[in-house]
Amino acid sequence: MSRYFLPVSGFDAKQFWEQRLQRDYSLKGVGYESLGKGFNYWLYRIRRHLFRQEVNGLGLQPAAAKVLDIGSGTGFYLTQLQSLGFRNVTGSDLTETAVGHLQQNFSGYQVVQMDISSGELPLEERFDLITCFDVLFHIVDDTRFDQAIANVARLLKPGGVFLFSDNFAHKEERRTHHVSRSRKDIETSLRKAGLEPGPTQAMFVLLNEPARSESGSIHNWWKGVVLFHRYLKPLGWLTGALLYPLEKSLLAQRSEGPSTLMMRCRKAT
């Protein structure tokens, strides 16, 4: 059976995420839900390590730089920016549920409800850095995806950095609430909006779905991980703890990998 699917017609992203976050406002709720809290803890430890490493390498002045985080969810990346000393940060999310929590938990930051794929945005200011993680592949409509990229470009200052994650698939894969677009299509959209694609960094090798891989053995490995932890969720923390050091080692020198990539783009000056 082919593993490529078409999205369900009429998919309502806002409703989907409102219901999911109302049910479980946690890293598991915004992460790999079926794997449980413990496994997701280690998934986000990897994200934390790579995000902080990348942001630290940008040469920004945290006290002065203006940052926008798109799809802030439970505030994971806002927490990382806060710990790195960034003071002028705007968080955003599609859902009322997330925005309500974020406004309470990050009172020192501005938080707005915003659909980045909309033709109208509530923001007029420009930013030195825009971050957008695990968001763009949930925009299933291609026209709205292009609009999202165009919006990012408009909100960036000349020379500003767009740091985001996507799957950069070798073959496009479409599901109900998820699209793995090809690198060519993503880079075409970026360039059309005036953003120059930059280097990538692999975000996972063993600890996430191998969306970019065409290897049957790698997909079978991941199916086994999911099946095992679906029924034995309490063991997820132990699995993640055992694999975390190996995952960091594998990622140390990898710009490409079988799963999600992080890309750094700049807007022309």
Side-chain angles (χ1 to χ4, degrees):
M1 179 184 290
S2 170
R3 58 188 184 86
Y4 298 97
F5 306 91
L6 291 176
V8 174
S9 177
F11 171 66
D12 186 331
K14 184 176 184 300
Q15 182 182 41
F16 174 87
W17 287 106
E18 288 283 11
Q19 292 176 348
R20 182 158 166 170
L21 292 177
Q22 286 171 7
R23 183 174 69 248
D24 187 357
Y25 186 74
S26 71
L27 291 182
K28 180 172 74 71
V30 296
Y32 214 110
E33 196 172 26
S34 63
L35 292 178
K37 182 178 179 180
F39 196 95
N40 275 280
Y41 169 83
W42 292 102
L43 286 178
Y44 277 91
R45 278 288 298 271
I46 288 292
R47 288 181 170 99
R48 175 184 181 275
H49 166 70
L50 294 173
F51 179 81
R52 291 169 66 91
Q53 177 178 272
E54 187 70 22
V55 173
N56 276 330
L58 294 177
L60 296 172
Q61 298 298 317
K66 297 181 67 173
V67 184
L68 168 65
D69 181 52
I70 296 169
S72 299
T74 59
F76 176 80
Y77 291 102
L78 294 182
T79 298
Q80 307 316 312
L81 291 165
Q82 191 176 58
S83 67
L84 290 171
F86 286 89
R87 300 175 186 173
N88 195 337
V89 177
T90 298
S92 68
D93 201 85
L94 175 66
T95 68
E96 295 174 12
T97 302
V99 169
H101 283 281
L102 292 168
Q103 287 175 339
Q104 286 186 331
N105 297 335
F106 296 90
S107 58
Y109 289 166
Q110 176 184 214
V111 178
V112 298
Q113 187 171 357
M114 181 177 76
D115 178 356
I116 192 59
S117 69
S118 171
E120 297 183 6
L121 299 180
L123 297 172
E124 293 296 333
E125 57 192 311
R126 300 294 182 265
F127 298 89
D128 300 286
L129 170 65
I130 296 179
T131 58
C132 183
F133 281 81
D134 301 332
V135 171
L136 294 176
F137 46 58
H138 289 300
I139 303 175
V140 298
D141 182 88
D142 291 336
T143 300
R144 294 186 75 89
F145 176 84
D146 287 342
Q147 181 66 61
I149 298 298
N151 286 338
V152 168
R154 182 177 67 79
L155 291 169
L156 270 178
K157 295 178 181 178
V161 175
F162 178 39
L163 190 62
F164 72 102
S165 68
D166 213 303
N167 291 328
F168 298 91
H170 299 293
K171 292 181 180 179
E172 185 177 276
E173 179 182 350
R174 291 178 176 263
R175 302 182 189 178
T176 305
H177 65 279
H178 187 285
V179 178
S180 291
R181 293 180 172 86
S182 70
R183 179 188 289 269
K184 179 182 177 181
D185 286 346
I186 293 171
E187 292 189 350
T188 296
S189 183
L190 290 167
R191 289 194 173 99
K192 182 179 177 182
L195 299 172
E196 184 56 35
T200 58
Q201 163 68 51
M203 294 191 72
F204 298 99
V205 177
L206 299 173
L207 290 176
N208 203 8
E209 182 179 2
R212 305 185 67 248
S213 176
E214 296 179 311
S215 167
S217 60
I218 292 177
H219 280 278
N220 287 335
W221 149 263
W222 183 248
K223 288 176 184 177
V225 169
V226 173
L227 183 63
F228 180 79
H229 292 94
R230 182 169 289 159
Y231 296 103
L232 295 169
K233 285 186 175 67
L235 293 180
W237 193 95
L238 178 61
T239 301
L242 291 172
L243 290 177
Y244 177 76
L246 177 58
E247 185 81 321
K248 281 184 70 176
S249 177
L250 290 171
L251 289 169
Q253 301 298 326
R254 284 178 182 261
S255 61
E256 300 279 327
S259 187
T260 310
L261 306 181
M262 172 169 52
M263 177 178 273
R264 181 175 74 241
C265 301
R266 282 195 183 272
K267 183 176 178 178
T269 55

